[in-house]
Amino acid sequence: MKNLSRSTSSSRSTSSNRRNATSIVSPKVLLHRDNFNGLRRDSWVSRNLYILIIIGPLVTFCLGLSYGYLYVFPNRGQALHEYPASSRICDAFDGSWVLDYSYPLYNSSLCPFAEQGFNCLGNGRKDKDYLKWRWKPKDCDIPKFNASNMLERLQGKRIVFVGDSMSRTQWESFICLLMTGVEDKTSVYEVNGRSITKTIRHLAVRFFSFNLSVEFYRSVFLVQPGMAPKHSPKRVKTTLKLDKMDDISKEWVDSDALIFNSGHWWIPSKLYETGCYFQLGGSLKLGMSIASAYKVAMSTWASWVEESVNSTRTRVFFRTFEPSHWSNQSNAHCNVTQFPTSGIGNSQQNPFSDFVTDTVKRMKFPATMLQITSMSASRSDAHVGNWSDRKSLTDCSHWCLPGVPDFWNEILLSRLFSY
């Protein structure tokens, strides 16, 4: 420390002496120094001018090369433009429906994987207004669907939808959207040659040229249905084992994207009225409410995801409850409007969406919510109504294709590629 003090003191003394010496230097020396400084400034300007002469053409060349790359490979540039980083933080589900006459993006009659029951135009619907609405988030834009771009991005992937008939509708929409970018339609096929039916448990459509598989698994409750335990009351025909996942869940794991939904079957007419009650372990829970049972099932689902799904490979999504628009509680009257309605009505007041949201928030696994309940609530114009393949039935639960499920998929794809 003493040496350091001495050194500092000596340095200060030397500096002071230099300042004093400068103050008494002769005018001739000052003049010589000014000339020298001028020469140094001239040298500095010349050197920087030389650098600019060298670097300028190099920068111009690089910019030209970049624009040339985007011209030769337009999909690359388009992908960067279509999926900006800002889409990661924008709430795509807070917005409104706006008219857009560039829609629809496909024709159900030309898509072999769209069920006839959802092809409203093919089943006699005359008005086409419901096809001309696009979902517009308040603070951003959903990238416009580009089939060629999507097929390139999805090459070599396995996409799996799991749930009820609403999930099957979204799966069909997903395939029909992608098929608009395929030249040879025969290269897209169901791997087992199966026709789409309401009860089939597994459907897999392969896009051969892109090594892409888009699959649907029918699992309306996600948890495991089973026979009633011995000595159960006569009214108990079957049970839902709330603490066990569906026995086909092991087939979902090896995928790149998993999209779940469940909700429409969690009602008395699908449960109690058919003799289906809840079970935990070996115990029947005859007094358990549907809401409480759904919470337990969602907890089982979350635990299964965290234990079974590889987060480094698989993106997991859960789509919230889809609102229906029946005119009364008995689901006997269906009022399909011509245009979207301004109010969201009572259809959004379903607790299932909140249960799922709370469950996902508590998960360690980075699952993504697709909060479609509110955005779909105003689309009473887009239901199947009387334009199914069975004229005697009306339907204010399912959606026409093309239609609202296409926008669920546009948001899904924007989320899938924004990370």
Side-chain angles (χ1 to χ4, degrees), residues 52 54-66:
L52 286 174
I54 295 299
I55 293 179
L58 183 61
V59 171
T60 303
F61 173 77
C62 292
L63 288 173
L65 188 64
S66 299

Side-chain angles (χ1 to χ4, degrees), residues 109-125:
S109 297
L110 301 178
C111 179
F113 302 101
E115 289 181 59
Q116 185 61 35
F118 302 149
N119 183 4
C120 297
L121 289 181
N123 293 327
R125 184 166 183 173

Side-chain angles (χ1 to χ4, degrees), residues 131-142:
L131 296 170
K132 303 301 181 182
W133 295 93
R134 171 175 60 87
W135 178 252
K136 173 65 175 70
K138 185 185 299 182
D139 300 319
C140 60
D141 281 310
I142 302 170

Side-chain angles (χ1 to χ4, degrees), residues 318-387:
F318 202 110
R319 180 170 51 74
T320 58
F321 188 84
E322 315 85 348
S324 58
H325 294 85
W326 295 96
S327 301
N328 59 19
Q329 295 295 324
S330 65
N331 291 0
H333 299 283
C334 177
N335 181 27
V336 177
T337 60
Q338 184 176 358
F339 302 108
T341 53
S342 57
I344 60 175
N346 295 325
S347 56
Q348 193 188 3
Q349 309 303 316
N350 193 291
F352 294 150
S353 295
D354 294 334
F355 293 161
V356 178
T357 301
D358 292 341
T359 300
V360 169
K361 284 181 179 178
R362 294 194 300 269
M363 292 173 65
K364 295 179 181 179
F365 191 100
T368 302
M369 291 295 300
L370 298 175
Q371 299 274 11
I372 61 90
T373 306
S374 181
M375 67 176 284
S376 306
S378 59
R379 294 306 309 274
S380 58
D381 61 316
H383 284 295
V384 171
N386 295 313
W387 299 284

Side-chain angles (χ1 to χ4, degrees), residues 81-92:
H81 172 73
E82 284 187 344
Y83 294 94
S86 61
S87 65
R88 302 177 193 177
I89 58 175
C90 171
D91 183 2

Side-chain angles (χ1 to χ4, degrees), residues 86-284:
S86 61
S87 65
R88 302 177 193 177
I89 58 175
C90 171
D91 183 2
F93 305 99
D94 181 14
S96 59
W97 293 96
V98 297
L99 279 171
D100 188 331
Y101 290 97
S102 67
Y103 284 85
L105 300 180
Y106 62 90
N107 183 341
S108 284
S109 297
L110 301 178
C111 179
F113 302 101
E115 289 181 59
Q116 185 61 35
F118 302 149
N119 183 4
C120 297
L121 289 181
N123 293 327
R125 184 166 183 173
K126 300 301 182 183
D127 73 287
K128 298 181 181 180
D129 296 322
Y130 73 98
L131 296 170
K132 303 301 181 182
W133 295 93
R134 171 175 60 87
W135 178 252
K136 173 65 175 70
K138 185 185 299 182
D139 300 319
C140 60
D141 281 310
I142 302 170
K144 183 70 175 288
F145 180 79
N146 182 307
S148 298
N149 181 273
M150 280 298 109
L151 286 167
E152 180 183 342
R153 286 168 169 262
L154 292 169
Q155 190 164 358
K157 305 298 184 185
R158 182 183 182 226
I159 311 299
V160 174
F161 291 83
V162 181
D164 53 29
S165 58
M166 298 298 180
S167 185
R168 192 177 73 248
T169 308
Q170 186 178 5
W171 170 78
E172 294 174 27
S173 160
F174 194 92
I175 295 169
C176 292
L177 284 167
L178 290 178
M179 283 197 70
T180 61
V182 178
E183 293 184 9
D184 180 9
K185 308 300 184 187
T186 62
S187 67
V188 184
Y189 53 89
E190 206 287 322
V191 295
N192 296 306
R194 295 168 176 162
S195 299
I196 300 173
T197 66
K198 296 181 177 181
T199 57
I200 198 165
R201 295 214 74 187
H202 178 228
L203 291 161
V205 169
R206 183 169 178 78
F207 290 74
F208 181 80
S209 301
F210 299 91
N211 190 27
L212 166 65
S213 178
V214 185
E215 303 177 41
F216 165 70
Y217 284 88
R218 185 176 185 270
S219 180
V220 298
F221 298 110
L222 300 184
V223 291
Q224 187 177 128
M227 301 304 296
K230 293 181 179 180
H231 310 300
S232 298
K234 289 185 177 180
R235 70 177 185 273
V236 180
K237 309 299 182 186
T238 58
T239 65
L240 280 183
K241 299 178 180 179
L242 300 176
D243 53 351
K244 294 182 181 294
M245 284 294 285
D246 197 325
D247 56 4
I248 60 172
S249 59
K250 59 183 180 294
E251 299 178 30
W252 312 336
V253 176
D254 187 24
S255 57
D256 296 282
L258 267 171
I259 304 96
F260 293 93
N261 94 296
S262 184
H264 277 277
W265 282 62
W266 293 83
I267 54 177
S269 62
K270 300 288 188 182
L271 292 166
Y272 306 144
E273 294 175 22
T274 65
C276 183
Y277 291 83
F278 306 119
Q279 182 177 344
L280 277 173
S283 302
L284 276 174

